[in-house]
Amino acid sequence: MSMEQDGIQLLETIHPIGKVKLGIPLSKRKKIKDIVKEDTYSLKTVGGNKSNIITDYRTTWHMHDIHELFGEISDKALDVVRGFTGNDKLYAKECWGAVYEEGNGAKPHIHSVLWCWTYHVECCAKCAPLVFTERKIKLKPKKDYLIFWNGICENDKYHYNKHEVPPQECEHDRVMIAGNISWR
């Protein structure tokens, strides 16, 4: 697969960061926020789950195994990364959703997997960006776009793809799904 054919825009090449529009219908995207807020395994319901995400609404880590819509998006993310890398031995390790309300964000962190992704479900251009702190890259969220990047790279002592989401300043919610991809 070529990146042009797939619509992938490569934003960074050394430690790759890419983005692509997934084409998830609006009717499906509208359901995601309710699913996250109603998830019986969520931080709001269960509490006490450790997370870098500062919000009351973060689902369990395995939504791709629990809910068909999350599985569909996780599968699309996996297809994008497999196509980009040419590696068919990758698999979806985790998938979760979150709703960032005003003041919510995510602390700087890294993912200890080969590839990571986030899919912007509901947002605007003024919503909190995804910030790669060590690389000084800020990516504004855009509805129906998937952003993917390397997790931990071999010999990556600088954690090039450490990232965060600063506090959401918009009064409306910023809704996303994210996931981790690993090697079999």
Side-chain angles (χ1 to χ4, degrees), residues 1-19:
M1 284 187 213
S2 81
M3 289 186 291
E4 270 182 31
Q5 289 173 331
D6 293 337
I8 294 174
Q9 180 183 358
L10 199 56
L11 305 170
E12 184 65 44
T13 56
I14 295 174
H15 294 281
I17 299 172
K19 76 175 184 176

Side-chain angles (χ1 to χ4, degrees), residues 1-3 6 8 76-88 90 148:
M1 284 187 213
S2 81
M3 289 186 291
D6 293 337
I8 294 174
K76 284 184 179 270
L78 182 59
D79 288 344
V80 166
V81 173
R82 281 179 175 164
F84 175 74
T85 63
N87 186 342
D88 63 353
L90 299 174
F148 63 95

Side-chain angles (χ1 to χ4, degrees), residues 39-41 60-71:
D39 179 34
T40 56
Y41 297 99
T60 180
W61 302 114
H62 299 283
M63 288 298 285
H64 62 302
D65 293 329
I66 296 170
H67 198 283
E68 183 179 346
L69 183 52
F70 281 72

Side-chain angles (χ1 to χ4, degrees), residues 20-25 29 76 119 144:
V20 63
K21 186 172 179 73
L22 287 190
I24 304 295
R29 292 195 326 258
K76 284 184 179 270
Y119 173 70
D144 194 35

Side-chain angles (χ1 to χ4, degrees), residues 164-176:
E164 68 178 309
V165 176
Q168 167 76 342
E169 293 180 1
C170 293
E171 292 180 6
H172 62 85
D173 294 340
R174 177 186 185 275
V175 182
M176 52 72 70

Side-chain angles (χ1 to χ4, degrees), residues 68-178:
E68 183 179 346
L69 183 52
F70 281 72
E72 177 184 339
I73 293 168
S74 179
D75 287 348
K76 284 184 179 270
L78 182 59
D79 288 344
V80 166
V81 173
R82 281 179 175 164
F84 175 74
T85 63
N87 186 342
D88 63 353
K89 295 186 191 283
L90 299 174
Y91 75 99
K93 182 177 181 187
E94 293 148 336
C95 174
W96 62 94
V99 174
Y100 294 87
E101 296 175 322
E102 190 174 6
N104 294 160
K107 297 181 268 186
H109 63 284
I110 56 173
H111 296 227
S112 298
V113 293
L114 288 177
W115 290 93
C116 314
W117 57 270
T118 187
Y119 173 70
H120 295 107
V121 177
E122 185 180 309
C123 59
C124 78
K126 293 180 181 178
C127 279
L130 173 63
V131 178
F132 291 88
T133 54
E134 303 303 309
R135 299 167 75 186
K136 314 264 188 279
I137 296 172
K138 290 183 181 182
L139 301 176
K140 292 182 179 182
K142 191 171 179 182
K143 287 180 191 171
D144 194 35
Y145 271 81
L146 174 89
I147 298 172
F148 63 95
W149 65 93
N150 287 119
I152 295 285
C153 301
E154 191 173 329
N155 299 319
D156 183 8
K157 66 181 179 180
Y158 300 108
H159 302 299
Y160 286 112
N161 285 336
K162 181 186 279 187
H163 56 284
E164 68 178 309
V165 176
Q168 167 76 342
E169 293 180 1
C170 293
E171 292 180 6
H172 62 85
D173 294 340
R174 177 186 185 275
V175 182
M176 52 72 70
I177 297 177

